[in-house]
Amino acid sequence: MPNGAQALMKTLVDAGIEVCFTNPGTSEMHFVAALDSEPKMRAVLALFEGVATGAADGYARMADKPAATLLHLGCGLGNGLANLHNARKGKVPVVNIVGDHATYHVKYDAQLQSDIETVARNVSPGFVRTSQSTEALCQDAAEAITTARGLPGQVATLILPADVSWGEGGTPVIVPAQPQAPVAGDDAIQTAAEAIRSGKKTALLLGGQALREPALLAAARIAAHSGVTLFAETFPTRIERGAGLPPVERIAYLAELATLQLSEFDHLVLVDAKAPVSFFGYPGKQSYLVPDNCTAHTLSTPEQDAAASLNKLAEALGAAGAEPRLQAVGRPGLPKGKLTAEKVCRAMGELMPENSIIVDESITSGLMLNAMTAGAPRHDMITLTGGAIGQGLPNAVGAAIACPDRPVFALIGDGTAMYTIQALWTMARENLNVTTIIFNNASYSILNVELERVGAEEAGAKAKSQLDISGPVTHYAQLAQSMGVHGVRVRTAEELIKAMEYARAHPGPHLIEAVVPESLNGVKRKVLPWLLKSLPSLPRPLTKALKKKIAP
């Protein structure tokens, strides 16, 4: 008879969970040993728990099904918490397995003893369970899997005591198929249709599953038929975009620009999205960004089928046969000369192959990325859903394992890269086709911007030093080489192009360290808060032009 760990492994793979991202310890040794009993399970080792959790997140975003994690006790879970937070905010399914002490050992309060359930509830509010017996383990796992892969996707945490894992008498369980997600009700359809037919300016705000091709096409038919505007949430979990797909403007990160985008609308229809709020609270500024004169309506919730709901709305409007507007092909051309962040984005738009996956954690360096890649061959983009930096490199690991035939590009800020730099080691170990471009501007540039925006008192030398990472100098290409990844440092557009072409000709892990100045530095950073404050008093054509320049 299989032990608990072996039965759990069988339950996982029979439910379609075929990858486990691990950072195990002593309590998880029987689970580790059980990996050899199940050839269908791929085990991917991470040197840090934040890489394991972020990789599981990236995998699920691209595979459309969960992976498992294996973490060591409450401390290991704590180390992986930030990227589980990003997964939760992105409504991403993850089966999060956390080892624990043997049940009889807990009362002794050993060094690594902690309240794992309390820690887990922060990122796993819908399902946290400590399995109490080997006999119950697989049923607990089945319920965790069902919770994780429903709509919306969730992080489901299953806590696995060591004696439950090694105990004999485990019985695998067949996980039932997920029920079909419901479609928006007739009342929601009618309310949205009335708003669109009212003759007042209306926009659809798309999020989650509504940013995938079937839903995008339905939304674009509605836009073509009824003249509504399409917006995407600020940080999409995954958005399908590029030539041949409907173009969608993302809501700006800067609250002042988001307010500008929404100010002309009377109705905002939410499709698997929440009404926009500012990323932080700022002195004297609104947190809720929907204008007072604009009414928000919910077409479909995260629990509902966004594409089917949009198609139902299109039928109600008579828009099902409308021809959607699609993005035209348009490469931006190769950059030349001394390298800047904008030139890196231009090179991406010019050189990225069809069916690429972009993992965007470039922060301020990627301000021009959307514009430069809009007309590139169709691709997917993953963004920082929860705001906890250190997501990008691990997401790239997971995306590459989910889609081994697709090239992955991770565009990463230098500050965020150091949070989960260990992901490079896993890329090398698994020989993943990931090209990482690190924007080395030697600054926490976004925090310098925020220092100005929050209205803090004039910063002195001590304050500024907390936002400066220029010394000691970090050599990312050398770090990559130390972990088995081909790495080069580039300072000109010509060197960047050569490095990108080399990476394309030699599939596998590569890192390109792009030495660039800050995108928002010096005078630009000083002027930005004043400019944002002035937007409401400026003529609309001018404000639109400024928005396009600052954050296209």
Side-chain angles (χ1 to χ4, degrees):
M1 240 182 146
N3 64 22
Q6 292 165 337
L8 173 59
M9 200 72 65
K10 178 69 171 168
T11 299
L12 291 170
V13 297
D14 285 351
I17 298 176
E18 299 164 330
V19 180
C20 184
F21 297 96
T22 78
N23 187 277
T26 302
S27 302
E28 296 75 47
M29 286 298 101
H30 284 82
F31 186 101
V32 171
L35 290 167
D36 287 326
S37 71
E38 185 45 75
K40 293 179 184 176
M41 178 65 79
R42 179 175 179 176
V44 180
L45 178 63
L47 298 183
F48 173 61
E49 294 90 339
V51 174
T53 55
D57 176 16
Y59 174 92
R61 294 189 196 211
M62 296 309 304
D64 286 325
K65 64 179 184 178
T69 63
L70 180 65
L71 307 178
H72 182 45
L73 301 168
C75 298
L77 173 60
N79 283 342
L81 215 58
N83 277 327
L84 290 173
H85 162 81
N86 289 327
R88 178 177 74 87
K89 287 293 187 178
K91 298 170 285 192
V92 177
V94 177
V95 177
N96 184 42
I97 300 171
V98 184
D100 196 5
H101 290 299
T103 54
Y104 60 82
H105 191 66
V106 170
K107 64 184 178 182
Y108 298 111
D109 193 24
Q111 281 83 349
L112 278 169
Q113 179 63 38
S114 64
D115 185 350
I116 300 174
E117 289 194 3
T118 295
V119 176
R121 285 193 187 94
N122 289 279
V123 294
S124 192
F127 186 98
V128 177
R129 185 177 300 172
T130 301
S131 201
Q132 297 296 329
S133 69
T134 302
E135 292 76 18
L137 172 60
C138 290
Q139 184 58 46
D140 292 338
E143 292 177 30
I145 294 165
T146 299
T147 300
R149 68 186 188 187
L151 278 183
Q154 297 183 51
V155 178
T157 298
L158 177 66
I159 301 166
L160 177 61
D163 54 335
V164 172
S165 185
W166 75 54
E168 298 297 325
T171 305
V173 169
I174 299 299
V175 180
Q178 296 296 127
Q180 190 169 359
V183 181
D186 293 342
D187 288 347
I189 296 293
Q190 183 179 344
T191 299
E194 287 174 356
I196 292 170
R197 290 191 184 115
S198 68
K200 296 182 177 180
K201 295 208 74 171
T202 302
L204 301 183
L205 177 55
L206 311 176
Q209 296 296 315
L211 293 171
R212 308 290 288 277
E213 183 178 7
L216 285 170
L217 288 170
R221 290 188 185 100
I222 294 168
H225 176 270
S226 303
V228 302
T229 298
L230 302 182
F231 287 119
E233 59 191 348
T234 306
F235 293 105
T237 301
R238 172 183 172 186
I239 180 170
E240 297 184 26
R241 62 194 299 271
L245 288 169
V248 185
E249 181 181 352
R250 277 163 63 178
I251 297 293
Y253 164 77
L254 297 173
E256 297 89 340
L257 295 179
T259 301
L260 170 66
Q261 287 173 286
L262 297 173
S263 61
E264 63 184 288
F265 294 98
D266 303 292
H267 296 283
L268 183 66
V269 179
L270 307 174
V271 189
D272 196 3
K274 60 183 287 188
V277 298
S278 63
F279 216 72
F280 301 101
Y282 297 94
K285 298 175 184 175
Q286 294 290 328
S287 294
Y288 183 71
L289 301 181
V290 179
D292 292 341
N293 64 324
C294 180
T295 303
H297 313 274
T298 298
L299 175 68
S300 66
T301 68
E303 293 78 18
Q304 295 172 320
D305 185 323
S309 298
L310 283 164
N311 280 319
K312 185 176 177 180
L313 177 60
E315 291 282 355
L317 292 166
E323 192 67 28
R325 183 172 77 89
L326 304 178
Q327 175 67 52
V329 176
R331 299 273 200 173
L334 289 173
K336 297 178 182 179
K338 185 178 178 181
L339 204 54
T340 64
E342 182 176 337
K343 289 180 182 179
V344 175
C345 296
R346 180 179 290 274
M348 271 298 303
E350 181 64 24
L351 297 175
M352 60 185 282
E354 186 170 8
N355 222 23
S356 294
I357 299 167
I358 296 177
V359 181
D360 177 22
E361 199 177 22
S362 52
I363 319 294
T364 56
S365 293
L367 289 173
M368 298 303 295
L369 182 62
N370 275 335
M372 293 297 181
T373 57
R378 62 175 297 160
H379 57 278
D380 286 272
M381 183 179 284
I382 290 172
T383 74
L384 182 61
T385 47
I389 61 174
Q391 174 187 300
L393 290 173
N395 266 192
V397 168
I401 289 173
C403 304
D405 298 328
R406 299 179 62 179
V408 178
F409 293 89
L411 275 65
I412 312 292
D414 53 353
T416 183
M418 293 303 292
Y419 280 59
T420 46
I421 196 72
Q422 308 93 328
L424 296 174
W425 183 89
T426 302
M427 291 178 193
R429 178 182 171 97
E430 300 293 325
N431 193 31
L432 302 178
N433 190 19
V434 178
T435 299
T436 299
I437 300 177
I438 292 185
F439 294 86
N440 186 353
N441 60 19
S443 173
Y444 278 130
S445 188
I446 186 62
L447 294 184
N448 280 293
V449 172
E450 294 290 12
L451 184 67
E452 304 285 348
R453 293 183 69 221
V454 298
E457 294 180 9
E458 184 67 28
K462 189 186 296 185
K464 289 179 179 177
S465 72
Q466 304 310 297
L467 312 179
D468 176 11
I469 55 174
S470 61
V473 175
T474 306
H475 293 272
Y476 296 93
Q478 292 180 17
L479 278 172
Q481 291 165 5
S482 75
M483 287 184 268
V485 173
H486 175 260
V488 295
R489 174 180 271 201
V490 299
R491 297 178 182 273
T492 68
E494 289 76 14
E495 291 172 347
L496 172 66
I497 292 164
K498 181 179 178 182
M500 291 180 71
E501 289 175 341
Y502 179 87
R504 183 169 183 174
H506 300 82
H510 298 268
L511 183 140
I512 303 169
E513 179 184 355
V515 180
V516 297
E518 290 183 69
S519 296
L520 294 172
N521 59 6
V523 175
K524 288 181 184 177
R525 194 158 61 227
K526 287 286 185 186
V527 168
L528 183 62
W530 174 86
L531 185 61
L532 294 173
K533 233 180 262 184
S534 304
L535 286 175
S537 61
L538 297 175
R540 176 162 291 280
L542 178 57
T543 59
K544 283 189 171 182
L546 287 170
K547 191 269 169 190
K548 189 174 182 180
K549 181 71 175 173
I550 296 169

